[in-house]
Amino acid sequence: MQIVIPIKQVPDTSKVKLDPESGTIIRNPADAVMNPLDLYALETALRFKETYGGKITIVSMGPSSALRMLKEALAMGCDEAFLLSDKAFAGADTWATSYTLSTAIRQSLSYDLILTGERATDGDTGQVGPGIAAWLDIPIATYVARIVSFDGKRLEVARLIEEGYQRVSIPLPCVLTVVKEIAIPRLPTLKGILRARASEIPIRTKESFSFRPEYLGLKGSPTRVVKIDTPQITRHGKTVWVKNPEDLSKAAVEFLNFLQQRNLY
Amino acid sequence: MKINVNQVWTVAEHWEGNLKPISFELLHWGRTLADKLQTSLASIVIGNAINNEELQKLIAYGADEVYSVQDPRLSFFVCETYARILTSLIQSFQPVVVLGGATTLGRTLLPYVAVKVHTGLTADCTGLDIEEGTGNLLQIRPAIGGNIMATIKTPFHRPQMATVRPHSIKPLCPDPFRTGWIHRIPIQDQMIDSRVDVLGLDPLDSGRSTLDSAEIVVSGGKGLRRGDAFSLIQSLAQDLGAAVGASREAVDRGWISYPHQVGLSGKAISPKVYIAVGISGAIQHLAGIKSSEAIVAINSDPSAPIFQVADFGIVGDLFQVIPEIRKHIHEQKKKKGMECHE
């Protein structure tokens, strides 16, 4: 079983800071982490490998600071990793990102299963997983919450959709995007950390594969960000304090009034 | 059939033969954009056993045309098949804008199709407009956990595609006298991709199944302290006809299942009122609730960040406050019940 996982480095959401002047995110490389939702894809892959054997390769596109996150993936038990890093890749939207990742995967790896997180917590699009499936022309199941069974050729998975858990049967090779419910991610082991530290993670550039240059980076991106606003979300609504038993009834009445004013009660 | 190019399109969604509310919300956005662009609005229906009366609703809610592709093999969404059909329709009819829901279907189908037709796609928009002069679609969306709003354009590729967050707009009032065309488009066998089979559906519990559509959501967090206390949340939700949500802490402690989780690693929701009980309001949680119309916080810690975003807050012990609210609801219901008997 050859498993490939594209992962992304994102700003640590709990530490995100905005430039008050420009409203753009101040990216402090020290506060960059692996997209937390990618951990569920890693865990799913590691469990697959434990049961069926095989190899897990991690791919990422980003600045060289992303090497640290790739080492973390190796420390968890993944086998190999490489980083796509080149000025030409910078500014890519989801169309160009899925082109770049899928081209690198197609030209350098064999794959039975491509696993991704549901979405990255910075861009929040969830579009790269389906995009990769489209580029590679392989089927996809999104929002996978459970792997029900595997017979060597086909997987039965449960997708968490609005109406419930939809069970689908999907053949290899395929793309699965997974949600948090699928597994609890493990921590790296000491042995894994030592192995990861000793390993060399190759950096691939635009010369490493035969890319169509007009599909790369900002130039290859059909979408353009034209404006960034920082919405003021502080609302400072009314607050009722319950300090003694008399306040309790008053709080309940005000609560129900609040709903009544909105015709919700 | 006369081919109208440069239309605005919406991708309708359905379940068991009925159109889902997002289909009508998309038509309100679509109508606004089509009017500004002085073009017509069409809704695309890919599915099975959706009757004429349902299709007519799309016209009543604002569509000028409906393209209906129906076949028993299209009963359930299979990305590869739906994508082949939508891609082929886009290539034949060349719409200028294609809108889908930011739902599990839209967020799977549209990125797949955007790659195939080589165009841009903006995810999870909460606002859409037309740029004066250029006629470009302005796609407005929250990013970085709702900390920024980005305006995005697709200047040189067509169609301009976007998924739109459910509840970002109310449907127009339906006009049963509006007229329009329903085109039935036959399916070709090679459109069916038989690699993926849909086997069945395991339903969610009723408190969760409405999380996306409920007007009120009651959510519980760490402040409940024990798993069995989560029944307080469920009872209050039941009294209010609300859906049940939860913070990551409550889910990770096993008090309630993951489908209820609201926030960055769960669902982003936009109810009319979001009631956070015993939830401190970590930035990751706020990311999932910022587009709620109103937020109510019930928490014993007045410095909890949830109060910063709350429209109404109660600082108090939830184990006293929730039962008190329920007592008031029950008393009022009893009163109302007596009025009805008189």
Side-chain angles (χ1 to χ4, degrees), chain A residues 161-178:
Chain A
I161 62 171
E162 288 80 0
E163 289 80 12
Y165 292 98
Q166 183 190 50
R167 282 176 288 108
V168 306
S169 162
I170 187 168
L172 302 186
C174 64
V175 175
L176 303 182
T177 77
V178 302

Side-chain angles (χ1 to χ4, degrees), chain A residues 59-62 82-86 89 100-101 104 204 209 211:
Chain A
V59 189
S60 189
M61 186 173 97
F82 68 85
L83 178 67
L84 288 158
S85 197
D86 196 304
F89 301 149
T100 311
L101 288 168
R204 308 267 189 241
F209 303 97
F211 289 116

Side-chain angles (χ1 to χ4, degrees), chain B residues 6-44:
Chain B
N6 287 329
Q7 287 182 316
V8 173
W9 280 11
T10 65
V11 179
E13 292 191 33
H14 52 86
W15 188 256
E16 293 175 340
N18 299 311
L19 292 164
K20 293 167 68 168
I22 184 70
S23 312
F24 307 121
E25 294 167 23
L26 291 173
L27 285 171
H28 190 173
W29 283 120
R31 187 72 261 163
T32 310
L33 301 176
D35 290 346
K36 285 195 180 179
L37 290 169
Q38 298 182 331
T39 182
S40 54
L41 173 64
S43 199
I44 312 304

Side-chain angles (χ1 to χ4, degrees), chain A residues 237-242 246-262 265, chain B residues 240 273 275 295-298 311-315 321 324-326 328-329 332:
Chain A
K238 184 176 181 185
T239 304
V240 178
W241 292 70
V242 179
E246 302 87 80
D247 300 336
L248 210 50
S249 174
K250 190 172 147 261
V253 169
E254 291 224 25
F255 172 85
L256 292 172
N257 282 345
F258 186 86
L259 296 184
Q260 249 151 13
Q261 283 159 14
R262 287 164 176 75
Y265 174 72
Chain B
L240 295 171
V273 176
I275 302 168
I295 294 171
V296 174
I298 301 173
D311 302 273
F312 176 65
I314 299 176
V315 180
V321 174
E324 181 73 16
I325 291 172
R326 295 195 62 216
H328 279 255
I329 295 172
Q332 290 184 14

Side-chain angles (χ1 to χ4, degrees), chain A residues 119 154 162-163 167 229, chain B residues 20 104 149 195 199 264:
Chain A
R119 58 196 149 82
R154 295 185 76 89
E162 288 80 0
E163 289 80 12
R167 282 176 288 108
D229 295 313
Chain B
K20 293 167 68 168
T104 59
M149 294 298 284
R195 288 178 291 182
L199 305 171
L264 206 59

Side-chain angles (χ1 to χ4, degrees), chain B residues 99 169 178 187 202 217:
Chain B
L99 305 178
I169 201 166
R178 274 197 91 235
I187 184 166
D202 305 324
V217 173

